[in-house]
């Protein structure tokens, strides 16, 4: 039995993963429903391409000023800080001069769609710069063309929060995840040597990486599969010392139980 | 709205293939490769059975509109999950769906042992979804991503754009709440 420390944020207490077993398999639509869904989707996409979302009358369409005011309200603090910085440095720029790094990748066709929807180039720049953040673009549904043309995104509540300083770095985490996926996949296919290669590669590149616990649990499982009992036992002991109530402790114990 | 429960089949392997056509390439192929995952994720995030078709449509439409923003260097599944989560969050804000009964009118007749197993499995799954309903969406998303999709907690934190310790803390409380809710659901159904 493991002693639990409720003050330790990584101490997750007792948990029986089998509670969720019945929900592990994916439950997809039937083939017929999948075909229907795809046809429906293609129909919607085709109609959007043929007639992009458009506000019918000038009266119904919020003015550029109103739309800019809306996003400025939503980002008031950031805009004020940026404006103040601009005033201080004497480099207040027009919206169209915004740095490209703030804009999401956008194809020529999407820009054409924006123009077709009645947006001028300066409006497109404003919408791009103010609404779309790199985090939106990379990880989730950004507020984009359709939301802008419908005119009702509440970016204060609907846009994903920007990563904080303590949010994992995306690049390293991607590389780490890739190596762990390789190890896990090799292990699942019974190729424990290949799994160890990926594990060793991770250990060299990311000794204290964010997925170190994942790596060490996989290492124990791979070593057990390879019949390297002593190494598996040593690594399991090190795991217990480092992550006494770690997420993957049950996997480690289950693997070690096989060679006891 | 359509009755999607009629045609739902719990037959797909889990987790979904890591290698899939990317959303910016062949979107129809991308749809076929990920439809089961989107469907399951929406269900796990609280979308009612009868609304799965409509909400899947919304999810894929949103992904289509933002396909240019997909970074092929990053894993696909968390990107897809983020869209499903957004759609599920919007869905849960709508009050009307809560009043609609969850009708599973197409239960197969339990005349053979295999059919009995199927019914028992489906009931078990529905009980899990019922227990998941006890969680708020923030905790539910962490639990689903980590425990069902098998994503590491740092990946969960990155996808949901929350600090690592918050992800751990949500997972811990989600596990506790889920375990308690499942016990209550089992007690209501007279199961041990």
């Amino acid at each position: 039995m493991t002693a639990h420390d409720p003050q330790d944020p990584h101490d997750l207490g007792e948990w029986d993963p089998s509670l969720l077993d019945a929900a592990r398999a994916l439950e997809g639509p039937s083939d017929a429903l999948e075909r229907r869904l795809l046809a429906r989707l293609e129909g919607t996409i085709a109609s959007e391409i043929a007639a992009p979302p458009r506000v019918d009358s000038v009266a119904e369409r919020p003015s550029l000023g109103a739309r800019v005011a809306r996003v400025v309200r939503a980002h008031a603090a950031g805009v004020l800080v940026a404006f103040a910085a601009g005033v201080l440095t004497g480099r207040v720029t027009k919206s169209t001069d915004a740095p490209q790094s703030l804009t999401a990748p956008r194809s020529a066709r999407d820009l054409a769609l924006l123009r077709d929807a009645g947006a001028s180039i300066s409006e497109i720049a404003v919408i791009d710069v103010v609404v779309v953040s790199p985090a939106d673009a990379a990880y989730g549904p950004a507020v984009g063309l359709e939301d802008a043309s419908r005119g009702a995104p509440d970016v204060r509540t609907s846009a994903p929060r920007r990563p904080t300083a303590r949010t994992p770095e995306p690049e390293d985490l991607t590389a780490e995840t890739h190596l762990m996926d390789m190890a896990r996949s090799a292990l699942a296919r019974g190729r424990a040597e290949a799994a160890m290669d990926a594990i060793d590669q991770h250990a060299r590149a990311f000794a204290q990486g964010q997925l170190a616990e994942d790596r060490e649990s996989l290492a124990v499982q791979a070593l057990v599969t390879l019949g390297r009992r002593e190494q598996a036992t040593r690594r399991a002991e090190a795991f217990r010392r480092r992550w006494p109530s770690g997420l993957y402790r049950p996997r480690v114990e289950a693997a070690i139980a096989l060679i006891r | 709205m359509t009755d999607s429960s009629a045609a739902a089949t719990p037959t797909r392997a889990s987790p979904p293939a890591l290698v899939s056509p990317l959303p910016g390439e062949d979107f129809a192929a991308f749809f076929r490769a990920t439809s089961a995952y989107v469907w399951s994720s929406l269900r796990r995030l609280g979308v009612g059975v009868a609304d799965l078709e409509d909400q899947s449509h919304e999810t894929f439409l949103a992904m289509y509109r933002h396909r240019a923003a997909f970074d092929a260097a990053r894993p696909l599944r968390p990107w897809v999950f983020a869209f499903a989560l957004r759609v599920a969050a919007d869905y849960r804000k709508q009050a009307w769906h809560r009043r609609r009964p969850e009708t599973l009118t197409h239960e197969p007749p339990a005349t053979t042992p295999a059919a009995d197993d199927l019914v028992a499995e489906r009931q078990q799954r529905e009980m899990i979804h019922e227990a998941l309903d006890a969680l708020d969406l923030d905790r539910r998303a962490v639990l689903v991503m980590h425990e069902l999709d098998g994503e590491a907690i740092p990946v969960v934190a990155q996808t949901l754009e929350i600090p690592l310790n918050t992800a751990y803390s949500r997972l811990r409380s989600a596990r506790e709440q889920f375990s308690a809710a499942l016990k209550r659901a089992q007690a209501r159904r007279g199961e041990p």
Side-chain angles (χ1 to χ4, degrees):
Chain A
M1 187 74 176
T2 312
H4 292 290
D5 176 7
Q7 301 305 314
D8 177 0
H10 292 203
D11 185 341
L12 294 164
E14 298 292 334
W15 166 248
D16 177 7
S18 71
L19 292 179
L20 284 160
D21 280 353
R24 289 192 194 285
L26 293 186
E27 186 182 10
S30 68
D31 290 344
L33 182 51
E34 191 177 79
R35 279 196 298 274
R36 189 171 81 197
L37 191 48
L38 181 57
R40 190 177 156 195
L41 194 59
E42 285 173 340
T44 309
I45 289 170
S47 64
E48 279 198 10
I49 291 172
R54 181 185 292 275
V55 177
D56 288 335
S57 74
V58 174
E60 287 171 5
R61 182 182 179 185
S63 66
L64 172 60
R67 278 181 279 168
V68 170
R70 190 177 62 239
V71 288
V72 166
R73 275 199 303 277
H75 293 267
V79 168
L80 284 173
V81 169
F83 185 74
V87 168
L88 287 174
T89 58
R91 290 195 299 131
V92 177
T93 58
K94 291 187 293 184
S95 59
T96 46
D97 298 331
Q100 286 300 305
S101 62
L102 286 177
T103 63
R106 172 157 282 161
S107 69
R109 195 175 69 168
D110 284 343
L111 289 173
L113 285 173
L114 261 174
R115 280 197 297 271
D116 289 345
S120 68
I121 291 295
S122 60
E123 286 178 79
I124 293 168
V126 168
I127 291 165
D128 259 347
V129 170
V130 178
V131 178
V132 181
S133 73
D136 296 337
Y139 303 117
V143 181
L145 164 62
E146 58 286 346
D147 301 305
S149 59
R150 282 202 294 264
D154 182 354
V155 291
R156 287 164 299 182
T157 56
S158 64
R161 282 163 286 186
R162 288 173 183 281
T164 66
R166 292 157 63 206
T167 304
E169 288 298 325
E171 291 76 16
D172 282 356
L173 190 53
T174 300
E176 286 194 56
T177 303
H178 178 64
L179 285 170
M180 289 301 94
D181 281 346
M182 282 170 60
R184 203 174 287 109
S185 164
L187 201 53
R189 295 196 309 272
R191 298 180 57 211
E193 286 283 4
M196 281 308 296
D197 287 345
I199 288 164
D200 290 343
Q201 207 177 327
H202 183 277
R204 283 194 298 275
F206 307 104
Q208 304 299 322
Q210 297 165 78
L211 302 185
E213 184 189 347
D214 203 354
R215 176 191 72 219
E216 291 307 306
S217 76
L218 287 168
V220 173
Q221 293 170 69
L223 290 168
V224 167
T225 306
L226 289 168
R228 287 149 66 174
R229 299 166 60 112
E230 276 187 26
Q231 282 178 291
T233 306
R234 274 203 307 273
R235 212 137 172 179
E237 282 165 3
F239 183 99
R240 291 186 196 109
R241 279 195 302 276
R242 190 166 171 191
W243 298 285
S245 52
L247 269 181
Y248 301 111
R249 174 85 183 260
R251 289 188 203 171
V252 170
E253 299 305 340
I256 287 296
L258 296 173
I259 56 172
R260 271 190 190 130
Chain B
M1 192 214 26
T2 50
D3 181 2
S4 307
S5 62
T9 50
T11 54
R12 308 303 172 90
S14 176
L18 290 173
V19 179
S20 153
L22 300 179
E25 298 169 353
D26 181 347
F27 198 77
F30 166 75
F31 168 86
R32 289 189 198 95
T34 56
S35 66
Y37 177 66
V38 167
W39 188 276
S40 291
S41 295
L42 289 169
R43 184 75 189 102
R44 291 164 174 176
L45 291 169
V47 172
V49 174
D51 297 319
L52 284 171
E53 183 181 347
D54 287 346
Q55 300 306 315
S56 290
H57 179 264
E58 289 304 307
T59 307
F60 277 104
L61 204 53
M63 287 193 283
Y64 176 80
R65 287 165 175 164
H66 296 89
R67 66 198 182 285
F70 177 69
D71 179 353
R74 298 209 172 137
L76 176 62
R77 201 167 50 196
W79 187 80
V80 173
F81 185 87
F83 280 91
L85 179 60
R86 176 70 64 85
V87 168
D90 288 345
Y91 169 85
R92 287 161 65 103
K93 285 177 196 161
Q94 300 164 350
W96 58 266
H97 80 263
R98 298 195 191 99
R99 295 197 297 271
R100 297 164 60 213
E102 282 292 304
T103 49
L104 291 171
T105 55
H106 298 272
E107 293 279 354
T111 53
T112 64
D116 283 345
D117 288 349
L118 203 62
V119 171
E121 190 184 313
R122 176 177 287 207
Q123 286 174 342
Q124 195 66 30
R125 197 166 49 247
E126 288 307 316
M127 201 153 58
I128 288 172
H129 288 145
E130 192 182 321
L132 285 172
D133 283 340
L135 276 59
D136 64 43
L137 194 57
D138 288 342
R139 287 176 178 78
R140 189 171 183 156
V142 173
L143 189 76
V144 168
M145 274 195 91
H146 179 70
E147 301 293 351
L148 291 173
D149 286 353
E151 303 291 359
I153 285 294
V155 175
V156 173
Q158 185 197 19
T159 303
L160 303 180
E161 297 181 340
I162 55 178
L164 196 56
N165 282 349
T166 303
Y168 276 106
S169 155
R170 284 184 190 172
L171 178 62
R172 177 165 57 182
S173 55
R175 283 174 167 186
E176 288 167 1
Q177 289 175 15
F178 173 79
S179 300
L182 190 62
K183 276 182 191 155
R184 288 196 299 273
Q186 286 168 336
R188 273 197 299 277
R189 297 187 187 205
E191 291 186 15

